[in-house]
């Protein structure tokens, strides 16, 4: 159980809503700039969270923050790459975890698979140990002055607190706190909004041998029907299936029955690995997880990670966006505080444009994968190996994109892109 420091009512330079990866990474990067934020998290940690496979660039960010030894000490499985098995267990392709050196060459590196209860607590405790203040409470309102966000109303065990700040960071994840408060622009449905994820953990799953034992495996069947296999310790594996919600509801099965049924028939290469499994966790679900919030920065506020967008979990980008956007947000906040520009119309416009750029690359990669799985396999396997490796790692910003691979995908997608998203609710 994390020890929560006593808070102060403010004014604070920065207050962060949420205590997940987006919040802790933002805090850790702010601390590197000498800014000590207040973090407001409503849950007691450790708590369960889905999202266990990290991309290569997250591994790099964790190393940059000096956390490699701590992750190794926790014995999180080491991930060298992802194998994607096509329908019927064929058309398989492999994407290794690699980093780009300064001269542009790709070299092998590794990242981790993490149990999020432990990982999120570790990040939050590290932020606190390095100088952030963490308080337990639920953000339930925003303080505003002439259109500028000036602070937060927080419900705590003792009552309601008003906490003032110069900049409010929304890292509340899928709760999209500032969107719900009407501070940001509208929240729109994403392309994968009708999908449902049904998942648990098992022991007894058959892994690849030797150093490949920690890798992520993805199995797909028909369009939008797929499963993940993510090693979480020497014995436990995270297993999940994702399908259109309608397919689940029409099955008439309970979540437990549905998961067991799909693990048996979704893809033979998956079934072969699960003959002697035992479930070690309850079966959980995630639905309506795909959305996008418009205008997610403005005077006195900025959103990071799931608080403004989540597309789909198939290639494990969620924690990556939280970590990378945290680094960008912290640098932007440092500049805004130094120049006292937090009340200007949109002090974080550049940050917002960069986030949208990267998120759009991934949206296009995922859309393309489902529209043209065989072309995708050819690109990953042969014609655009390095560029697909870049995308899977998280090199999705202007220094690396749009690559020839992404331009090709966009050209082909123009014929099939989904209609404009509808507003939620
Ligand atoms: C089925 C599925 C599988 C996934 N698999 C992967 C994967 O393999 N790899 C990957 O990288 N990502 C994966 N993701 C995505 C990943 O879970 C998220 O992108 C990631 O957790 C986002 O981090 P975050 O910090 O933005 O939000 P969160 O981790 O959700 O943290 C938000 C925090 O804010 C707190 N909070 C919310 N509202 C308030 C409030 N009002 N006041 C105070 N605190 C509040 C919450 O309690 C929570 O602790 C998956 C997602 C789904 C749906």
């Amino acid at each position: 159980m994390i020890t929560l420091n006593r808070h102060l009512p403010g004014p604070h330079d920065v207050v962060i809503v949420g205590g997940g990866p987006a919040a802790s990474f933002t805090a850790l990067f702010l601390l590197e700039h000498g800014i000590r934020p207040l973090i407001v998290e409503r849950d007691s940690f450790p708590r369960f969270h889905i999202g266990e496979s990290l991309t290569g660039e997250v591994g790099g960010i964790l190393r940059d923050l000096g956390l490699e030894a701590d992750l190794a000490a926790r014995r999180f499985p080491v991930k060298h790459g992802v194998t994607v098995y096509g329908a019927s267990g064929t058309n398989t392709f492999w994407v290794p975890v690699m980093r780009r050196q300064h001269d542009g060459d790709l070299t092998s590196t590794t990242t981790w698979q993490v149990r999020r209860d432990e990982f999120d607590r570790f990040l939050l405790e590290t932020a606190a140990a390095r100088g952030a203040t963490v308080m337990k409470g639920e953000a339930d309102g925003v303080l505003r002055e002439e259109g500028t966000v000036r602070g937060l109303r927080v419900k705590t065990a003792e009552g309601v607190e008003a906490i003032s700040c110069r900049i409010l960071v929304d890292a509340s994840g899928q709760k999209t706190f500032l969107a719900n408060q009407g501070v940001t622009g509208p929240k729109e449905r994403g392309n994968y909004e009708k999908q449902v994820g049904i998942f648990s953990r098992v022991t007894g799953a058959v892994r690849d041998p030797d150093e490949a034992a920690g890798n992520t495996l993805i199995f797909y069947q028909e369009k939008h029907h797929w499963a993940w296999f993510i090693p979480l310790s020497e014995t436990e594996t995270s297993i999940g299936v994702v399908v259109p919600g309608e397919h689940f509801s029409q099955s008439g099965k309970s979540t437990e029955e549905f998961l067991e049924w799909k693990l048996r028939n979704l893809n033979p290469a998956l079934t072969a690995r699960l003959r002697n499994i035992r479930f070690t966790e309850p079966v959980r679900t995630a639905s309506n997880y795909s959305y996008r919030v418009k205008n997610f920065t403005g005077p006195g506020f900025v959103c990071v990670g799931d608080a403004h967008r989540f597309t789909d979990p198939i290639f494990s980008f969620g924690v990556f966006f939280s970590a990378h956007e945290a680094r960008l947000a912290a640098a932007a906040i440092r500049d805004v505080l130094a120049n006292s520009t937090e009340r200007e119309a949109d002090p974080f416009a550049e940050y917002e444009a960069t986030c949208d750029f990267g998120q759009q690359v991934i949206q296009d990669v995922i859309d393309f994968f489902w529209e043209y799985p065989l072309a995708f396999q050819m690109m990953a396997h042969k014609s655009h190996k390095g560029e697909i490796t870049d995308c899977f790692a998280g090199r999705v910003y202007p220094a690396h994109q749009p690559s020839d691979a992404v331009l090709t995908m966009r050209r082909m997608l123009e014929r099939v892109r989904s209609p404009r998203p509808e507003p939620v609710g």
Side-chain angles (χ1 to χ4, degrees), residues 17-23 40-43 45 47 49-54 116 120 137-139 171-175 177 197 199 228 230 286 289 304-307 310 313 316-320 322:
V17 179
V40 180
E41 166 60 53
R42 61 178 197 173
D43 284 350
F45 280 27
R47 50 93 175 96
H49 205 297
I50 196 61
E52 296 140 333
S53 187
L54 305 183
R116 286 285 302 278
D120 289 11
E138 178 166 5
S172 64
Q174 300 246 336
K175 294 290 173 198
F177 171 69
F199 47 90
W228 77 72
I230 301 173
Y289 55 65
V304 180
D306 279 15
F310 185 71
S316 307
F317 289 111
V319 175
F320 162 71
S322 298

